[in-house]
Amino acid sequence: TNEKPTKPLVLSPTHFHRPLPTSTFPTTAFLSPPIDSTFLRTFLSSDLTYEQRRIVGFREHAARPELIERTLLEVAGTML
Protein backbone atom coordinates (compact mmCIF):
# COMPACT_ATOMS: atom_id res chain seq x y z
CA THR A 1 0.00 0.00 0.00
CA ASN A 2 0.96 3.67 -0.28
CA GLU A 3 0.38 4.51 3.38
CA LYS A 4 2.93 6.81 4.94
CA PRO A 5 4.21 5.93 8.40
CA THR A 6 2.46 8.00 11.04
CA LYS A 7 4.26 10.00 13.68
CA PRO A 8 2.83 10.54 17.13
CA LEU A 9 1.34 14.00 17.70
CA VAL A 10 3.24 14.32 20.99
CA LEU A 11 6.58 12.66 21.51
CA SER A 12 6.37 12.51 25.29
CA PRO A 13 4.51 14.07 28.23
CA THR A 14 7.49 16.38 28.77
CA HIS A 15 6.48 18.26 25.61
CA PHE A 16 3.42 19.71 27.37
CA HIS A 17 3.74 23.11 29.00
CA ARG A 18 2.66 23.21 32.64
CA PRO A 19 1.96 26.73 33.88
CA LEU A 20 3.21 27.86 37.26
CA PRO A 21 0.71 27.49 40.09
CA THR A 22 -1.43 30.60 40.33
CA SER A 23 -0.60 30.78 44.03
CA THR A 24 2.90 31.90 42.99
CA PHE A 25 1.66 34.80 40.83
CA PRO A 26 2.29 38.33 42.09
CA THR A 27 -1.36 38.84 41.25
CA THR A 28 -2.08 42.44 42.13
CA ALA A 29 1.23 43.75 40.89
CA PHE A 30 0.97 41.62 37.75
CA LEU A 31 -2.63 42.40 36.78
CA SER A 32 -3.29 45.87 38.15
CA PRO A 33 -3.33 47.89 35.99
CA PRO A 34 -4.99 47.11 33.55
CA ILE A 35 -7.52 45.51 35.93
CA ASP A 36 -8.84 47.73 38.71
CA SER A 37 -7.15 46.58 41.94
CA THR A 38 -10.37 46.77 44.00
CA PHE A 39 -12.26 44.63 41.48
CA LEU A 40 -9.33 42.22 41.30
CA ARG A 41 -9.19 41.73 45.08
CA THR A 42 -12.96 41.27 45.17
CA PHE A 43 -12.84 38.69 42.37
CA LEU A 44 -9.94 36.75 43.92
CA SER A 45 -11.67 36.61 47.30
CA SER A 46 -14.93 35.38 45.68
CA ASP A 47 -16.82 38.44 46.91
CA LEU A 48 -18.25 39.85 43.67
CA THR A 49 -21.75 41.27 43.94
CA TYR A 50 -24.56 39.76 41.88
CA GLU A 51 -24.34 42.69 39.46
CA GLN A 52 -20.55 42.31 39.03
CA ARG A 53 -20.93 38.56 38.39
CA ARG A 54 -23.65 39.27 35.83
CA ILE A 55 -21.55 41.88 34.02
CA VAL A 56 -18.51 39.62 33.66
CA GLY A 57 -20.75 36.69 32.71
CA PHE A 58 -19.79 34.26 35.48
CA ARG A 59 -23.00 34.52 37.49
CA GLU A 60 -23.08 31.90 40.28
CA HIS A 61 -19.80 30.34 39.11
CA ALA A 62 -17.67 33.37 40.02
CA ALA A 63 -16.72 31.96 43.42
CA ARG A 64 -15.51 28.61 42.07
CA PRO A 65 -11.75 28.24 42.68
CA GLU A 66 -11.20 26.47 39.35
CA LEU A 67 -12.83 29.36 37.47
CA ILE A 68 -10.66 31.90 39.31
CA GLU A 69 -7.55 29.85 38.52
CA ARG A 70 -8.52 29.44 34.86
CA THR A 71 -9.13 33.17 34.56
CA LEU A 72 -5.74 34.00 36.07
CA LEU A 73 -4.01 31.56 33.73
CA GLU A 74 -5.80 33.01 30.69
CA VAL A 75 -4.85 36.57 31.57
CA ALA A 76 -1.27 35.61 32.41
CA GLY A 77 -0.94 33.74 29.11
CA THR A 78 -2.30 36.73 27.20
CA MET A 79 0.14 39.09 28.89
CA LEU A 80 3.17 36.96 28.05
Side-chain angles (χ1 to χ4, degrees), residues 21-75:
T22 54
S23 60
T24 65
F25 287 9
T27 311
T28 344
F30 185 65
L31 299 174
S32 180
I35 300 172
D36 177 71
S37 60
T38 303
F39 176 83
L40 182 59
R41 280 192 304 276
T42 305
F43 174 71
L44 294 174
S45 63
S46 304
D47 290 330
L48 293 177
T49 65
Y50 173 80
E51 184 64 14
Q52 288 171 318
R53 291 190 314 256
R54 189 189 67 74
I55 289 170
V56 296
F58 292 151
R59 302 206 185 248
E60 68 276 359
H61 302 288
R64 295 179 65 178
E66 60 271 19
L67 179 86
I68 293 170
E69 180 180 34
R70 186 199 81 186
T71 303
L72 288 174
L73 290 170
E74 287 174 342
V75 174

